[in-house]
């Protein structure tokens, strides 16, 4: 499982990362990485948890116990 530690930054990726992007994500967000958190809209190898969105602009991050609503 994932270990919790302070977040230094947030990376948002709009689709399934390619080989190069996946390596960059692992360097930033993986175990022993730079302490960043990555949100990927798509599949990401090594992901520890999932997040969900709906058509009404709600984003649920269950592991963080956060629900966001994007204003329309």
């Amino acid at each position: 499982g994932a270990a919790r530690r302070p977040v230094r930054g947030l990376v948002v990726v709009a689709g399934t990362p390619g080989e190069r992007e996946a390596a960059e994500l692992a360097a930033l967000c993986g175990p022993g990485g730079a302490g960043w958190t990555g949100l990927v809209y798509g599949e990401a190898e090594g992901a520890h948890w999932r997040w969900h969105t709906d058509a009404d602009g709600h984003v649920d991050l269950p592991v963080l116990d956060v629900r966001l609503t994007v204003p329309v």
Side-chain angles (χ1 to χ4, degrees):
R4 290 191 182 227
R5 58 185 181 200
V7 175
R8 299 184 75 191
L10 179 67
V11 177
V12 179
V13 180
T16 300
E19 188 175 325
R20 178 177 161 213
E21 293 165 322
E24 290 172 353
L25 275 172
L28 287 172
C29 308
W36 287 56
T37 294
L39 294 177
V40 177
Y41 182 77
E43 294 297 318
E45 186 175 324
H48 294 287
W49 46 272
R50 300 206 181 274
W51 58 284
H52 309 277
T53 62
D54 65 26
D56 294 326
H58 298 109
V59 178
D60 290 313
L61 304 166
V63 72
L64 300 178
D65 194 27
V66 172
R67 180 177 173 98
L68 306 170
T69 302
V70 178
V72 205

